[in-house]
């Protein structure tokens, strides 16, 4: 699956994952740079809640490979948080077994002070997931990830096992 260069494509992909299509064994490739709609709140790809060293059964993790193709996504904004401190926030909320690679995120604004799991690229990385060659921010932007704890520029929290 190749995503074109618009917000609608990325949003539809997120909705597919959040509806239960985990993309295990599949690769999704970003075909061009994407600018997210100015001021719009982003809903993470692969939503859910951490439970101990894993996540709840109601969660919908991403298990495929997302290849950013050395493109960028700009304008990621998440400031409206879920009330559960263990809810995962980021471009991807939960990545389990999957991989996110070759991506830059610019002009990131994640501010979810009630959360304990927030990262620009992935909130919760688990079950052998991997994040590689991902860059957050540049010298020309004010990218930030703010959470109560368990936050990071690239990955917020990793449990069980994984590679960053």
């Amino acid at each position: 699956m190749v995503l074109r260069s618009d917000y609608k494509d990325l949003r539809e992909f997120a909705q597919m994952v959040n509806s239960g299509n985990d993309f295990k064994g599949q690769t999704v490739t970003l075909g061009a740079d994407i600018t997210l709609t100015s001021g719009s709140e982003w809903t993470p790809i692969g939503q859910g809640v951490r439970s101990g060293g894993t996540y709840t059964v109601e969660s919908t993790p991403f298990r495929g490979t997302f290849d950013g193709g050395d493109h960028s996504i700009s304008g990621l904004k998440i400031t409206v948080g879920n009330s559960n401190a263990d809810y995962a926030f980021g471009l991807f909320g939960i990545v389990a077994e999957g991989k996110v690679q070759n991506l830059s995120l610019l002009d990131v604004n994640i501010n979810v002070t009630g959360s304990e799991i927030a990262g620009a690229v992935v909130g919760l990385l688990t079950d052998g997931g991997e994040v590689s060659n991902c860059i957050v921010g540049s010298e020309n932007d004010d990218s930030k990830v703010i959470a109560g704890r368990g936050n990071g520029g690239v990955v917020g929290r990793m449990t069980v096992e994984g590679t960053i």
Side-chain angles (χ1 to χ4, degrees), residues 5-156:
S5 61
D6 61 22
Y7 173 80
K8 182 181 175 194
D9 251 13
L10 193 61
R11 177 68 75 195
E12 288 173 0
F13 166 61
Q15 290 170 345
M16 286 190 280
V17 174
N18 295 341
S19 294
N21 182 351
D22 64 11
F23 285 82
K24 187 172 184 170
Q26 299 176 55
T27 298
V28 177
T29 303
L30 189 59
D33 296 345
I34 292 179
T35 300
L36 300 179
T37 305
S38 179
S40 293
E41 291 284 326
W42 178 251
T43 300
I45 301 164
Q47 296 179 304
V49 176
R50 177 181 65 116
S51 177
T54 187
Y55 46 86
T56 63
V57 295
E58 297 84 14
S59 298
T60 56
F62 177 72
R63 297 181 190 280
T65 296
F66 183 88
D67 188 341
D70 294 323
H71 293 291
S72 66
I73 296 175
S74 301
L76 176 67
K77 177 183 176 185
I78 305 173
T79 58
V80 176
N82 185 297
S83 61
N84 188 327
D86 287 324
Y87 187 88
F89 292 100
L91 175 66
F92 288 82
I94 300 176
V95 173
E97 303 174 44
K99 182 187 291 187
V100 180
Q101 61 191 20
N102 307 322
L103 177 67
S104 295
L105 292 179
L106 305 172
D107 299 314
V108 174
N109 179 14
I110 298 177
N111 188 345
V112 287
T113 56
S115 176
E116 295 183 3
I117 304 172
V121 179
V122 177
L124 176 63
L125 183 67
T126 188
D127 298 340
E130 181 180 323
V131 174
S132 63
N133 195 31
C134 291
I135 299 167
V136 177
S138 73
E139 62 185 59
N140 300 321
D141 74 32
D142 293 324
S143 290
K144 62 185 172 202
V145 178
I146 300 170
R149 63 184 194 167
N151 60 312
V154 176
V155 174

